[in-house]
Amino acid sequence: MTDQAYNFAYLDEQTKRMIRRAILKGVAIPGYQVPFASREMPMPYGWGTGGVQVSAATLTPEDTFKVIDQGADDTTNAVSIRKFFERTAGVATTEETARATVIQTRHRIPEEPLTEEQVLVYQVPIPEPLRFLEPSEIETRKMHALEEYGLMHVKLYEDIARHGQIATSYAYPVKVEGRYVMDPSPIPKFDNPKMSDNPAIQLFGAGREQRIYALPPYTQVVSLDFEDHPFDPSKADAPCDLCGAEDSYLDEVIIDDAGGRMFVCSDTDYCRARRASGHVGAKGVAEDAA
Amino acid sequence: MTRPYDIATRHRAAGRIARAPDGAMAAGQADLTGTAPLLRVEGLTKRYGTRIGCADVGFDLWPGEVMGIVGESGSGKSTLLNCLAGHLPPDSGQVLFDTRTGGLKDTVTMSEPERRMLGRTDWAFVHQHARDGLRMNVSAGGNVGERLMAVGARHYGTIREAAIDWLGRVEIGADRVDDRPTAFSGGMQQRLQIARNLVTGPRLVFMDEPTGGLDVSVQARLLDLLRGLVREMGLSAIIVTHDLAVVRLLADRLMVMKDGHVVESGLTDQVLDDPQHAYTQLLVSSVLQV
Ligand SMILES: Nc1ncnc2c1ncn2[C@@H]1O[C@H](COP(=O)(O)OP(=O)(O)O)[C@@H](O)[C@H]1O
Ligand SMILES: [Mg+2]
């Protein structure tokens, strides 16, 4: 049961109401960064305090909670956030994407398509996509307000000029409903198309920078590009060595001291479910040994 | 969009102004020709506390005309220019610009989005210090391309072609297109700034001491280049300088400022060869002594 020393989901009700107001405003203005009074959380910034506050304001006792970090449920960060809400909210937790009602994530969108019953909460380190080219916050807010987004394309232009192609592969900027340019958080650009027209509610929380933004269900999200250098959501050109999936985002992992490598799904739940239903990749045998 | 250079029109316009030595013009006078001025300034005043920046300045600028503003340091040239270009809000007066859609419109009272739109389309501003007008961490090509992208250019190849073309027109080799301005000499930086400003064919160019801070030999080359561009493009421009050689070479008309006030104005040659105001006489003679 819930640890009685805490209010449900750790934050007091007034704080949660403040965060919910920010979330509602964000949902009403898709892609717009809403300032909110970020609270101290019992974990350091950079550990997803923005996402944790959004999750805390979103969770109800009936929810089933899942946390992934780089697609995996079993990393330190994911485990500690999951434990945190088990203790402070007493909610059920799961590693199965389909069973979860609230999913907090860092750096990935699950491979399994989300549904209208689900909320995806992103941890965001730097919410401002214009920050790298325009250091002034006053100026970037004005640029958003007046839709002055030429600078975003200057960044992509520089990419192509230097690398022959758009080299940005994480946190690839998007335009939301033809209006706000938004940083999708450091997900791989492979995940960008999943954001668009998604039935789930997508919420973004940046703790240190005190910003919340959101995509309501079925929002149009377009990755910025040039006519002659169209957006390409590429990934490693290989199937998963464990489950054989050809459509999932892969991590390259080193498997022995001799420099042996293999490609495996970054989404551990997706990979596990595929193997459970009989799919086997080229090195599927290695799985038994692990 | 460039207009044919029509020297006759210029001198007709200039001659009319020359009859108003205080720089002010009767409002009805423009109607005599049937064409509208590009810029009409009336009673423009800007104070810094009790100190006068510029006071009661009025003039008309006609399409294809280059107006020089001269005066010693502290006479209010930059203040006036910044008020004209919408960078500083004046305390009183009007700055009427011949907008594409609505004809003469007061840029002081128009909405900020509208004014900023003019700033990146119809207007250009060349700063004295290139670093104020360039993005130092963006390549030369990106710097020139920014204004194109700001107005919706989305074809990398076309943007790059235009950038290289403009670098050529300001005598910067195509092989420098991917270099950052930090790798350029002062003269090159200034030429890059000019290319960046002219690439979208602005209808009115503001320049604040464009040759200031450069070596004398570099100044001469830049002046030559500017004169060529002004003639070729039929630019309408307002050039602030304390250097009479600059206005003699570039300006059709001249306004002389002292302590924030316009003390004399007229055709450049007339004013320089036969100055009426004691201060102008001093200014001209001090140049001759150099
Ligand atoms: N930001 C400011 N605050 C206070 N006084 C200023 C400011 N900018 C300019 N001034 C004053 O206004 C007058 C005109 O300055 P300025 O327009 O810069 O002249 P110029 O460009 O001809 O050298 C000077 O007396 C100057 O000291
Ligand atoms: Mg000045």
Side-chain angles (χ1 to χ4, degrees), chain A residues 57-124:
Chain A
T58 305
L59 283 169
T60 66
E62 294 75 37
D63 272 313
T64 302
F65 190 53
K66 169 183 163 82
V67 187
I68 47 173
D69 181 3
Q70 313 258 20
D73 298 79
D74 56 1
T75 56
T76 318
N77 192 1
V79 170
S80 71
I81 291 172
R82 195 165 60 232
K83 287 229 174 88
F84 176 76
F85 282 112
E86 277 172 358
R87 242 186 51 225
T88 61
V91 289
T93 58
T94 182
E95 296 196 358
E96 281 178 55
T97 298
R99 285 193 52 225
T101 53
V102 177
I103 303 171
Q104 182 170 330
T105 179
R106 174 173 175 265
H107 294 192
R108 279 308 314 277
I109 297 175
E111 303 292 357
E112 188 166 334
L114 302 176
T115 68
E116 288 181 1
E117 314 302 319
Q118 296 177 306
V119 177
L120 185 60
V121 178
Y122 296 76
Q123 301 172 198
V124 180

Side-chain angles (χ1 to χ4, degrees), chain B residues 10 66 210 223 226-227 230 239 245-252:
Chain B
R10 278 190 170 202
V66 176
L223 264 181
L226 272 175
R227 185 162 66 160
V230 162
I239 301 180
V246 171
V247 286
R248 193 175 290 272
L249 212 57
L250 292 177
D252 303 301

